[in-house]
Amino acid sequence: MSAIRLVILGRQGSGKGTQSLRISEAYGCIHVSTGDMLRAAVADGTKLGRQASAVMEAGGLVGDEIINGIVAERLAKPDIADHGVLLDGFPRTADQADALERILGELGQSITMAINLDVPVEEVTERMMARGRSDDTEEAIRRRLRLYEEQTAPLLQWFEAHGLLETVDGLGTEAEVFDRLVSVIDARTG
Ligand code: AMP
């Protein structure tokens, strides 16, 4: 089987992080999280980190030129061609999806599929409230979720229009959700 190149989408609190780790382990593909890469750059105080930190703190999006550049550089490494990739946090916009298609195209690769891990807004709000973090007031949570909705709706349309979108019900136990993910991935790649 050739290497898979997956994109995972899901609201904050959808379990996307946990399931991403399980998928990358099960399929041997490389988990690439742009949020993790940016946080590492901020922690290391690199030029990129300095450019990104204010935008990240304000909850905005880092500019396409910067983020596309980071992703292009990471995807060009040989481990991705060998093992495949699970992209988490990228693309965030339809423009970034266009960029991803171009980046992979130049490497002779293509997107296998995008999975939307779907957990209703009410449920993720409750989950985040239950974490009890100080930045998780109900209002702040609702604002972040609204922003996600606005940004992601066109992205879902992009993947749908390209015949690449699968939606997976994210309600249930971790194991139940993982089984559903495996089913849709295997159905595409099997
Ligand atoms: P995340 O951990 O995916 O929520 O990312 C944390 C922060 O990093 C986001 O709030 C953005 O400021 C920034 N970021 C991560 N991925 C992207 C992306 N694809 N495009 C723009 N900004 C991003």
Side-chain angles (χ1 to χ4, degrees):
M1 196 183 81
S2 68
I4 55 172
R5 284 168 291 270
L6 302 173
V7 172
I8 189 157
L9 306 165
R11 298 183 175 94
Q12 259 192 328
S14 64
K16 176 167 68 87
T18 311
Q19 297 294 345
S20 292
L21 292 178
R22 292 186 68 148
I23 293 170
S24 53
E25 241 169 60
Y27 291 88
C29 57
I30 312 233
H31 181 205
V32 171
S33 155
T34 45
D36 285 352
M37 290 167 80
L38 290 170
R39 278 183 291 274
V42 172
D44 291 345
T46 63
K47 182 173 171 224
L48 166 65
R50 291 196 301 278
Q51 286 173 323
S53 70
V55 179
M56 291 171 73
E57 261 169 46
L61 287 184
V62 173
D64 280 356
E65 207 169 303
I66 293 178
I67 204 84
N68 293 341
I70 299 172
V71 171
E73 198 177 306
R74 181 65 192 90
L75 295 186
K77 300 225 166 98
D79 59 339
I80 302 286
D82 290 346
H83 301 288
V85 67
L86 172 64
L87 280 165
D88 177 0
F90 182 94
R92 278 267 216 298
T93 63
D95 280 348
Q96 290 182 7
D98 284 330
L100 175 62
E101 210 181 26
R102 202 167 53 238
I103 291 164
L104 287 175
E106 281 165 11
L107 295 165
Q109 302 170 9
S110 60
I111 305 166
T112 308
M113 69 190 296
I115 301 174
N116 181 28
L117 186 57
D118 188 36
V119 177
V121 171
E122 287 314 311
E123 171 69 18
V124 290
T125 307
E126 265 174 44
R127 287 183 191 178
M128 281 193 272
M129 296 287 289
R131 294 193 309 203
R133 271 176 19 188
S134 60
D135 59 334
D136 279 351
T137 61
E138 183 157 0
E139 198 197 319
I141 292 168
R142 291 204 181 276
R143 182 162 10 94
R144 289 207 299 272
L145 288 171
R146 213 168 33 238
L147 202 72
Y148 176 82
E149 235 62 49
E150 285 170 17
Q151 290 169 355
T152 312
L155 191 56
L156 292 175
Q157 278 168 20
W158 191 99
F159 285 116
E160 181 73 49
H162 285 71
L164 293 171
L165 187 68
E166 291 285 351
T167 295
V168 168
D169 177 6
L171 288 177
T173 67
E174 202 182 300
E176 282 165 354
V177 175
F178 181 66
D179 286 346
R180 288 180 207 137
L181 289 166
V182 168
S183 300
V184 300
I185 295 169
D186 289 353
R188 279 250 169 187
T189 56

